[in-house]
């Protein structure tokens, strides 16, 4: 078996040779493979065709698959997602891109009330097997409208699957799984780590992915099952539940502090790998939940609640939560907003002292 | 500086807001003479392959075929056979009989809710007859006529309305929110206008695959104000999608008249002009005109000449639903005075004029249809009525949220089943 980097849950991974890729390349590769394998896969979104997307995730695909399979759309998120619902009902597997997660709101009704409920309301007669890809999160000086992390909204919706990769390897395998899935998926791409992992120190240059083991991405087709977390590293002192960009920040903080943390990258928020969460918290007795999104009613609240309900008698300390603040993402003070090493470090100290 | 909202202290005219008001309120005498009703047969019929702009004059006119003399006139006459005309008449009459019975069923507590389409039967029935049976219909909630025209079993419709154990939708949807993939009838959403981008997407998918099926969507005039309507028209125009948008302008959106969707300034069909797609404004109470327009648009879409927006100008003769009382907001005379008559009456008189039908035959048919609806109702009631316990098993509540049941729904299903044993031990 090649590359066990992302652990045990990778399926269909043969002895494929690997290639260093950044996250954008991995996503592009996943789309390329799925467009090739399945004539029903369609890629669409603002600027995704000729230009290949503002982040270049769809670069080259229109050239290869033609204008009726990879195309630009009007600037209408309601239209993009609504049209994708109809395409899914027809039998296609659309992969619409929403240019920034911040712009998904005009399409929310189509996603929440329509895509997510189509199977239920038609008792399985019509489905919307679509994967909405969208860059999310801050750390690129995007101001209020290019930085949000709205994942909690989607985890609150019955019938949607919410996916957040944290490495090129996972991005490819999870995106392929999402496209193959018959339920509507939303695939949040942590744009801060498109080009390289990020340890939380904004003033240090980003190391490119190519030097990172998780950037060794197998060639060809493989998928990672939705609903399976990845153990980033094993540890005994505490469990860190985390996803997206914050996986790398958490990892760096624990490494630097010399904390023997078990870091669990959730990878999918719905369905959640509750077994991995329970197993780890029962072992360590301490739990830290981290996300970049605003705090109140964030997905962290759900995680804390689950841990409290299911692991209470194993807990040695109250569960800690590190998040962004309950403000819009500020432009000039972006790094004051970001839940970086100081906020995480304090929470770890508090947990370990308790 | 003056405080906001105080009218300012400047030497400039005061601005004034216009809030639309319908012409008639309860108690008012109705005069519909402001509605121009052109002669039947007066409008030209461009070829289906014409440039969209050629239809611009038809966006503000009114395409009519059946005249006051009960004869068919002009180039839009679809020249249907007497058999076809009788089929359309029968389906419209069946829809009306069905509505009557279901309305009563709601009043008798057999279900929670019902919506009639009285006066608008042609806009779904004649339109459905003009489409191919596998063209995907994306209805709103007043298009029961599409299902009935396609021969969908009435018993299944009633099972759905009663949310009983025979309901194919497992008792999850509001009454009248039917769904049938087999009859190319897309599941109805309670969120208005969402089906329009979906119809466009379906049509685009059909074109991407080189299929021959088109899509047709229905929406009320009130709901054209939703962003979805405009997104759908934009996409349909941009990609030349093979889709027909039917706007059923029945003058009222619950208690709000069409002015609140912008009808004081222009017609709904005229919205097509801004998008550069074909548009037609059609007498919605004239089954022949409806058939002809829908067929024209369907042929246009099918031959890759692009989308069409049709406004069916009609009148909602009954209340919006079982939950409202129209006498509270509009003149009772409106229904009587409506200048375009009643679609069933008009087609009946046309057939009689042709010597292909009689009042006696009509009476016999109405009797027969009422019996058929009654029999279907009895049959459906064997599967239960709403709230009387003959529903789908509890576990089905958790099915179809996802393709497979995830752990959290499995746990919640166990909870529901545990509760059932306590709440209803006899079941
Ligand atoms: C998005 C949304 N907003 C509001 C409603 C509540 N509502 C249901 S029907 C209706 C009126 C619709 O009028 P119109 O589109 O003209 O259709 P008609 O009922 O006249 O056929 C309203 C406001 C809804 N179902 N969905």
């Amino acid at each position: 078996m090649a590359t066990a980097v992302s652990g045990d849950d990778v399926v269909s991974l043969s002895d494929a040779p690997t290639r260093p890729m950044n996250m954008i390349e991995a996503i592009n590769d996943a789309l390329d493979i799925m467009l090739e394998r399945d004539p029903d896969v369609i890629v669409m979104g603002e600027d995704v065709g000729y230009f290949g997307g503002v982040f270049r995730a769809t670069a080259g695909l229109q050239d290869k698959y033609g204008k009726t399979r990879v195309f630009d759309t009007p600037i209408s998120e309601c239209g993009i997602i609504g049209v994708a619902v109809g395409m899914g009902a027809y039998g296609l597997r659309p992969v619409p891109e929403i240019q920034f997660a911040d712009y998904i709101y005009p399409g929310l009704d189509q996603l929440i009330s329509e895509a997510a409920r189509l199977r239920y309301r038609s008792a399985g007669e019509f489905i919307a097997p679509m994967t909405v890809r969208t860059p999310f999160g801050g750390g690129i000086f995007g101001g209020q409208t290019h930085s949000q992390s709205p994942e909690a909204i989607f985890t609150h919706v019955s019938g949607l699957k919410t996916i957040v990769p944290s490495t090129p390897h996972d991005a490819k395998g999870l995106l392929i799984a999402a496209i193959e899935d018959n339920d509507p998926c939303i695939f949040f791409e942590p744009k801060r780590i498109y080009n390289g992992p990020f340890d939380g120190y904004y003033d240090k240059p980003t190391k490119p992915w190519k030097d990172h083991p998780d950037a060794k991405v197998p060639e060809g087709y493989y998928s990672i099952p939705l609903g399976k977390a990845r153990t980033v590293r094993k540890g005994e002192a505490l469990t860190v539940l985390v996803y997206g960009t914050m996986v790398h920040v958490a990892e760096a903080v624990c490494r630097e502090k010399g904390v023997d943390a078990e870091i669990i990258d959730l990878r999918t928020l719905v369905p959640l790998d509750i077994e991995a969460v329970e197993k780890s918290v029962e072992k360590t007795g301490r739990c830290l939940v981290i996300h970049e999104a605003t705090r109140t009613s964030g997905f962290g609240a759900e995680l804390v609640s689950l841990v409290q309900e299911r692991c209470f008698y194993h807990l040695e300390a109250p569960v800690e939560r590190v998040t962004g603040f309950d403000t819009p993402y500020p432009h000039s003070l972006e790094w004051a907003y970001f839940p970086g090493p100081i906020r995480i470090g304090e929470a770890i100290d508090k947990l370990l002292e308790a | 500086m003056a405080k906001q909202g105080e009218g300012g202290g400047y030497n400039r005219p005061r601005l004034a807001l216009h809030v639309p008001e319908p012409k008639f309120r309860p108690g008012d005498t109705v005069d519909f003479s402001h509605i121009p009703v052109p002669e039947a047969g007066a409008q030209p019929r461009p070829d289906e392959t014409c440039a969209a702009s050629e239809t611009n004059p038809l966006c503000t006119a009114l395409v009519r075929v059946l005249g006051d003399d009960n004869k068919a006139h002009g180039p839009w006459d679809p020249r249907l056979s007497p058999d076809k005309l009788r089929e359309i008449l029968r389906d419209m009459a069946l829809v009306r009989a069905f509505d009557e019975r279901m309305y009563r069923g709601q009043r008798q507590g057999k279900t929670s809710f019902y919506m009639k389409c009285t006066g608008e039967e042609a806009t779904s029935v004649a339109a459905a007859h003009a489409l191919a049976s596998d063209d995907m219909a994306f209805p709103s909630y007043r298009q029961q006529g599409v299902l009935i025209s396609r021969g969908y079993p009435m018993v299944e419709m009633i099972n759905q309305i009663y949310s009983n154990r025979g309901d194919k939708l497992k008792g999850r949807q509001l009454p009248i929110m039917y769904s049938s993939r087999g009859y190319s009838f897309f599941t109805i959403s309670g969120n208005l206008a969402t089906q329009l981008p979906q119809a466009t997407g379906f049509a685009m998918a059909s074109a991407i695959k080189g299929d021959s099926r088109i899509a047709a969507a229905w929406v009320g005039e009130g709901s054209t104000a939703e962003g979805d309507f405009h997104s759908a028209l934009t996409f349909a125009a941009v990609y030349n999608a093979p889709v027909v948008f039917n706007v059923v302008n029945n003058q009222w959106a619950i208690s709000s008249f069409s002015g609140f969707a912008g009808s004081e300034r222009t017609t709904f069909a005229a919205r097509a002009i801004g998008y550069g797609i074909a548009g037609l404004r059609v007498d919605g109470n004239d089954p022949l005109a409806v058939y002809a327009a829908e067929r024209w648009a369907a042929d246009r879409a099918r031959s890759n000449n692009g989308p069409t927006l049709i406004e069916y100008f009609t009148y909602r003769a009954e209340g919006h639903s079982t939950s409202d009382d129209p006498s509270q907001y509009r003149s009772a005379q409106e229904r009587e005075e409506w200048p375009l008559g009643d679609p069933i009456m008009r087609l009946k008189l046309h057939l009689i004029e042709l010597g292909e039908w009689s009042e006696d035959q009509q009476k016999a048919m109405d009797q027969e249809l009422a019996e058929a609806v009654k029999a279907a109702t009895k049959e459906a009631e064997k599967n239960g009525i709403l709230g009387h316990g003959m529903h789908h098993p509890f576990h089905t509540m958790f099915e179809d949220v996802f393709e497979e049941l995830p752990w959290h729904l499995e746990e919640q299903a166990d909870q529901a089943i545990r509760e059932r044993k306590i709440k209803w031990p006899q079941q």
Side-chain angles (χ1 to χ4, degrees):
Chain A
M1 284 283 288
T3 65
V5 280
S6 275
D8 23 359
D9 303 318
V10 181
V11 296
S12 324
L13 178 52
S14 63
D15 293 325
T18 63
R19 184 154 61 91
M21 290 184 199
N22 66 28
M23 208 185 268
I24 285 287
E25 290 163 337
I27 287 162
N28 186 273
D29 194 31
L31 292 171
D32 191 356
I33 288 167
M34 291 313 291
L35 281 160
E36 172 90 50
R37 276 171 80 96
D38 185 349
D40 290 334
V41 172
I42 298 292
V43 169
M44 61 174 181
E46 295 155 23
D47 305 300
V48 307
Y50 182 84
F51 178 56
V54 291
F55 289 100
R56 316 313 317 283
T58 56
L61 298 177
Q62 186 176 71
D63 253 359
K64 207 161 160 189
Y65 298 100
K67 286 200 299 191
T68 55
R69 296 198 56 210
V70 180
F71 54 85
D72 294 333
T73 61
I75 303 169
S76 166
E77 288 73 18
C78 161
I80 294 170
I81 298 175
V83 155
V85 171
M87 288 179 165
Y90 179 91
L92 300 187
R93 291 187 178 277
V95 190
E97 174 180 299
I98 299 297
Q99 205 156 67
F100 287 85
D102 312 65
Y103 304 133
I104 207 161
Y105 306 122
L108 267 195
D109 185 45
Q110 285 287 349
L111 201 51
I112 292 179
S113 317
E114 302 294 317
R117 305 232 196 100
L118 190 55
R119 179 192 293 281
Y120 194 74
R121 78 177 199 218
S122 69
E125 274 195 339
F126 294 100
I127 60 171
M130 60 199 261
T131 302
V132 179
R133 290 182 38 246
T134 187
F136 88 128
I140 60 153
F141 282 111
Q144 295 162 49
T145 58
H146 298 81
S147 307
Q148 290 165 64
S149 299
E151 69 274 13
I153 295 173
F154 300 92
T155 63
H156 193 62
V157 175
S158 329
L160 273 185
K161 291 180 175 167
T162 305
I163 303 154
V164 191
S166 72
T167 68
H169 175 275
D170 280 11
K172 179 173 168 184
L174 288 167
L175 181 55
I176 287 176
I179 294 171
E180 288 182 331
D181 199 278
N182 284 330
D183 291 314
C185 296
I186 176 150
F187 192 84
F188 284 107
E189 298 169 5
K191 63 171 122 40
R192 183 65 182 81
I193 55 171
Y194 266 156
N195 294 317
F198 170 65
D199 59 11
Y201 297 99
Y202 60 91
D203 41 2
K204 283 201 247 160
T206 304
K207 280 179 281 171
W209 271 110
K210 70 176 166 43
D211 304 324
H212 195 281
D214 287 351
K216 289 204 194 78
V217 178
E219 301 272 14
Y221 171 92
Y222 67 96
S223 71
I224 297 174
L226 308 181
K228 292 281 183 214
R230 169 177 79 108
T231 306
V232 178
R233 61 177 239 190
K234 290 200 173 299
E236 302 290 332
L238 76 150
T239 296
V240 183
L241 302 179
V242 66
Y243 52 90
T245 300
M246 300 310 295
V247 169
H248 304 278
V249 181
E251 211 268 332
V253 174
C254 292
R255 192 175 357 99
E256 279 158 23
K257 284 180 77 81
V259 179
D260 184 23
E262 180 144 301
I263 300 180
I264 310 246
D265 172 3
L266 296 172
R267 295 205 286 206
T268 58
L269 309 187
V270 176
L272 182 69
D273 188 347
I274 192 69
E275 251 181 74
V277 171
E278 283 177 25
K279 235 168 73 192
S280 181
V281 176
E282 284 172 12
K283 180 176 77 174
T284 64
R286 289 180 158 81
C287 181
L288 169 63
V289 167
I290 306 176
H291 60 60
E292 194 185 324
T294 49
R295 185 177 188 83
T296 303
S297 304
F299 190 65
E302 178 63 29
L303 289 171
V304 173
S305 209
L306 283 169
V307 167
Q308 189 277 137
E309 284 164 5
R310 304 171 92 95
C311 310
F312 183 76
Y313 294 106
H314 296 270
L315 288 177
E316 307 283 345
V319 184
E320 280 292 322
R321 181 162 56 132
V322 172
T323 69
F325 297 131
D326 285 342
T327 67
Y329 224 102
H331 185 236
S332 67
L333 296 178
E334 154 164 284
W335 293 113
Y337 175 98
F338 191 80
I342 297 175
R343 219 174 298 161
I344 296 172
E346 279 179 3
I348 291 176
D349 290 344
K350 205 168 146 198
L351 261 174
L352 294 181
E353 281 159 18
Chain B
M1 210 173 105
K3 219 168 120 191
Q4 280 185 25
E6 283 189 343
Y10 300 103
N11 197 12
R12 291 190 297 209
R14 262 177 182 259
L15 299 170
L17 185 71
H18 169 68
V19 179
E21 184 59 31
K23 289 223 176 328
F24 320 110
R25 286 297 193 187
D28 289 347
T29 304
V30 166
D31 174 7
F32 277 134
S33 59
H34 65 283
I35 297 179
V37 180
E39 281 294 304
Q43 309 306 339
R45 182 186 180 283
D47 191 78
E48 286 92 342
T49 60
C50 73
S53 57
E54 255 190 72
T55 64
N56 288 3
L58 293 171
C59 291
T60 46
L62 197 65
V63 171
R64 304 178 75 231
V65 173
L66 280 178
D68 293 341
D69 56 2
N70 300 320
K71 290 186 176 135
H73 297 272
W76 285 95
D77 177 6
R79 296 172 189 284
L80 300 177
S81 69
D83 279 346
K84 189 72 190 167
L85 291 175
R86 277 188 292 260
E87 260 181 61
I88 294 174
L89 179 69
R90 184 186 175 83
D91 285 342
M92 289 198 296
L94 181 53
V95 170
R96 192 164 289 182
F98 186 80
D99 277 3
E100 272 317 304
R101 186 98 207 160
M102 291 302 106
Y103 186 88
R104 256 197 291 154
Q106 191 275 341
R107 290 296 189 248
Q108 293 164 344
K110 292 174 184 169
T111 188
S112 56
F113 178 74
Y114 193 75
M115 291 177 110
K116 289 177 157 186
C117 65
T118 312
E120 303 171 36
E121 290 88 350
T123 60
S124 57
V125 171
H129 277 271
L131 295 165
S133 61
D134 65 346
D135 288 337
M136 186 60 90
F138 287 80
S140 179
Y141 43 64
R142 237 184 267 284
Q143 281 73 47
Q144 51 268 55
V146 174
L147 271 183
I148 286 194
S149 298
R150 287 183 171 177
Y152 187 74
M154 262 189 296
V155 177
E156 300 294 358
M157 294 173 78
I158 305 170
N159 283 338
Q160 199 284 317
I161 291 166
Y162 289 170
S163 284
N164 62 23
R165 68 179 173 197
D167 175 8
K168 290 227 160 76
L169 304 183
K170 303 187 187 173
R172 294 168 183 161
Q173 279 270 54
L174 265 182
I176 67 151
M177 302 254 169
Y178 316 103
S179 175
S180 173
R181 194 176 182 97
Y183 287 75
S184 296
F185 189 90
F186 193 71
T187 160
I188 297 170
S189 176
N191 289 30
L192 296 172
T194 53
Q195 73 277 18
L196 299 171
Q198 295 164 6
T200 308
F202 189 95
M204 288 170 66
S206 190
I208 288 169
K209 295 306 261 185
D211 196 349
S212 62
R213 295 171 81 186
I214 64 164
W218 282 258
V219 69
E221 89 290 345
S223 308
T224 61
E226 289 286 357
D228 299 62
F229 174 80
H230 303 278
S231 302
L233 261 65
T234 302
F235 273 71
V238 167
Y239 302 107
N240 204 42
V243 58
V244 182
F245 300 111
N246 301 302
V247 174
V248 181
N249 178 1
N250 64 8
Q251 315 301 322
W252 290 91
I254 311 187
S255 73
S256 307
F257 86 115
S258 58
F260 286 99
S263 73
E264 290 179 329
R265 314 258 169 178
T266 183
T267 67
F268 293 98
R271 277 142 175 80
I273 299 171
Y275 290 95
I277 68 172
L280 302 172
R281 188 160 176 273
V282 177
D283 177 349
N285 288 18
D286 176 345
L288 296 187
V290 171
Y291 182 98
E294 192 75 20
R295 188 58 186 262
W296 186 93
D299 288 347
R300 182 174 174 84
R302 220 181 293 287
S303 54
N304 284 317
N305 286 289
T308 303
L309 172 66
I310 306 176
E311 173 183 351
Y312 289 124
F313 194 72
T314 182
Y315 187 76
R316 194 194 77 213
E318 294 277 351
H320 170 75
S321 76
T322 44
S323 310
D324 76 319
D325 171 6
S327 72
Q328 298 295 306
Y329 51 77
R330 69 184 189 192
S331 166
Q333 269 191 320
E334 280 197 14
R335 179 180 177 159
E336 309 302 319
E337 297 292 322
W338 181 246
L340 298 175
D342 174 82
I344 296 181
M345 189 74 81
R346 283 174 71 185
L347 186 54
K348 178 186 85 173
L349 293 175
H350 175 56
L351 271 161
I352 291 173
E353 168 70 27
L354 291 176
E356 295 284 349
W357 197 242
S358 67
E359 290 288 356
D360 285 347
Q361 279 171 297
Q362 181 81 19
K363 217 178 266 163
M365 182 182 77
D366 283 343
Q367 183 69 29
E368 180 206 326
L369 295 177
E371 293 298 330
V373 175
K374 200 167 153 192
T377 310
K378 287 241 158 67
E379 190 61 30
E381 278 176 20
K382 289 182 191 157
N383 295 319
I385 55 175
L386 181 68
H388 284 240
M390 284 162 82
H391 43 61
H392 275 266
F394 274 41
H395 199 268
T396 59
M397 178 160 68
F398 300 92
E399 291 164 5
D400 303 316
V401 178
F402 296 102
E403 187 172 33
E404 283 160 27
L405 207 64
W407 63 268
H408 62 286
L409 287 177
E410 191 63 81
E411 285 185 5
Q412 291 166 27
D414 290 347
Q415 170 77 22
I417 288 163
R418 258 197 325 279
E419 283 179 21
R420 184 198 66 187
K421 289 184 182 136
I422 300 164
K423 286 191 207 159
W424 298 284
Q426 69 284 2
Q427 275 184 34

